[in-house]
Amino acid sequence: MNIYQLKVNFEEQGKQQVILPIAAGESVLDVCLDNGIELQHNCGAVCGCSTCHVYVNKGMDNVQDISDKEEDFIDRAVRPRITSRLGCQCVVINGDIEVTIPDQSEFLGH
């Protein structure tokens, strides 16, 4: 099994970058949750909402291609960018990836 590096940055004040191992076939959301990083996932990680939205800073070529369904949900995310992906759909295939998690406090109570 190939193990790569997942660098996680946070928009939220006071949170430092975290570097975690991520295996080919694992999603950014799963690795974050397994390591105690709070990333909302209201739909249960089935590409049914936009709360696990992340920005891919580096390594977009190392993750699975975006689906039409995922693009539709990203359009509903808070402040989407061209580099936006859903954490549950951002599955590493072959290489390191770096993401930024938007400030999660905006989602509390939604």
Side-chain angles (χ1 to χ4, degrees), residues 29-109:
L29 175 64
D30 287 340
V31 172
C32 285
L33 296 178
D34 288 348
N35 288 278
I37 295 172
E38 197 122 334
L39 183 54
Q40 299 293 321
H41 52 287
N42 293 356
C43 76
V46 296
C47 195
C49 70
S50 63
T51 56
C52 68
H53 169 234
V54 298
Y55 304 121
V56 177
N57 307 331
K58 294 180 186 154
M60 189 69 92
D61 291 342
N62 298 334
V63 295
Q64 285 180 351
D65 289 338
I66 193 167
S67 67
D68 291 341
K69 183 178 179 184
E70 182 182 356
E71 280 194 59
D72 288 344
F73 282 106
I74 286 171
D75 287 343
R76 304 175 205 175
V78 178
R79 292 187 312 279
R81 299 178 189 159
I82 195 79
T83 60
S84 291
R85 291 295 302 263
L86 299 182
C88 67
Q89 301 300 300
C90 195
V91 175
V92 167
I93 47 177
N94 62 350
D96 298 339
I97 178 175
E98 181 177 332
V99 301
T100 297
I101 296 178
D103 189 340
Q104 296 290 286
S105 63
E106 297 181 30
F107 299 116
L108 296 182

